[in-house]
Amino acid sequence: MAKTGTTTQGLRAAIERSGYYPTLVAEAVQAAVGGEPVVSYLVHQETTFDANEVRRHVTVLVLTGTRFIVSHTDEQAADATSPSPYATTSTESVKLGRISSVVLSRVVANPESYTPGQLPREVVLTIGWGAVARLDLEPAACGDPNCEADHGYTGSSTADDLSLRVSEAGDGPDSVRETLTFAQALSEATAATTTR
C-alpha cells in the first residue's frame, strides 16, 4: 500500500491509514520534518517472510523544500534482548543537494503496444546520496587463457541508499501511480537544486 500527497495533514492521514503503528511512525516522521512544509510524500507498507515469521515494514518518504526524509519502521519478535515484541524506527534527513541519483525503473507488459501514460506493472525507485555504496568485485583476468598471474580485482561501486519496489499485482495500481508521482517530484526538486 502506498499513499502520496502534498500536505502535512495528508501525510499524517496516510500514515494512519497504513495501520502500522501509526502513532510511533507519525511521531518519528514529524520530528524529522519539523516545521517545514511538506512538498510531497509516499507511504509504503510491505510484508516480508523471514523463516517462519511474517514481518511488516513501512517506509515513509517525505520531500520538503530543502530536504529528503526517509523513515523506516520494522517490527521484531521477542528475542534474547527483549522478552516482548518490539518495533524499531529510524529517520534520515538528507539535503536535496546531496542526492546524487534518482533512478526509476519501469516494467511494462507488452511493450510493442505501449501507449503514452500507460501504467507500468512494476516500478523500482532507487535513490542515492552517498551514505551506502555496494561493491561488486571479481578477479581480474587477461586475454591469455594460459596466464596464471594474479591480475588483482575489478569491479564496480553502485550507490544504493534506498531501493523501493512497488508492483501492480502486489500493491495495486494506485500504489504504482503514487510512486511515479513522488519520483517525479523528487527528480524535479533535485534538478532545481543543481541549477541554483
Side-chain angles (χ1 to χ4, degrees):
M1 166 190 337
K3 298 293 174 202
T4 189
T6 59
T7 67
T8 303
Q9 295 84 5
L11 172 58
R12 176 68 188 228
I15 290 170
E16 288 176 2
R17 278 193 305 276
S18 78
Y20 184 77
Y21 305 121
T23 305
L24 172 66
V25 173
E27 181 180 21
V29 170
Q30 185 55 49
V33 171
E36 278 195 86
V38 172
V39 173
S40 186
Y41 63 83
L42 179 67
V43 178
H44 183 260
Q45 182 181 323
E46 59 187 315
T47 303
T48 57
F49 301 93
D50 182 20
N52 295 330
E53 296 179 8
V54 177
R55 291 190 179 166
R56 296 178 300 163
H57 174 90
V58 68
T59 301
V60 180
L61 308 179
V62 180
L63 175 63
T64 71
T66 62
R67 297 177 298 144
F68 166 68
I69 297 161
V70 59
S71 173
H72 295 286
T73 303
D74 293 287
E75 62 185 358
Q76 308 292 329
D79 58 24
T81 63
S82 176
S84 60
Y86 60 97
T88 58
T89 187
S90 63
T91 57
E92 184 172 0
S93 177
V94 180
K95 290 181 181 180
L96 287 177
R98 287 202 51 219
I99 294 179
S100 56
S101 66
V102 178
V103 180
L104 185 66
S105 301
R106 302 168 189 241
V107 177
V108 177
N110 304 313
E112 70 281 355
S113 60
Y114 177 80
T115 57
Q118 180 180 333
L119 200 61
R121 70 176 192 201
E122 178 180 313
V123 293
V124 178
L125 174 60
T126 305
I127 305 165
W129 57 91
V132 177
R134 184 179 66 239
L135 292 174
D136 294 319
L137 296 175
E138 61 185 41
C142 67
D144 181 0
N146 298 320
C147 180
E148 295 180 12
D150 182 358
H151 295 286
Y153 288 89
T154 185
S156 62
S157 173
T158 308
D160 196 13
D161 295 306
L162 174 76
S163 188
L164 188 70
R165 178 184 172 269
V166 180
S167 71
E168 185 177 25
D171 302 294
D174 287 344
S175 294
V176 173
R177 191 174 293 106
E178 291 160 354
T179 304
L180 292 170
T181 299
F182 182 83
Q184 181 174 349
L186 182 60
S187 290
E188 290 172 357
T190 56
T193 62
T194 60
T195 59
R196 289 182 190 165

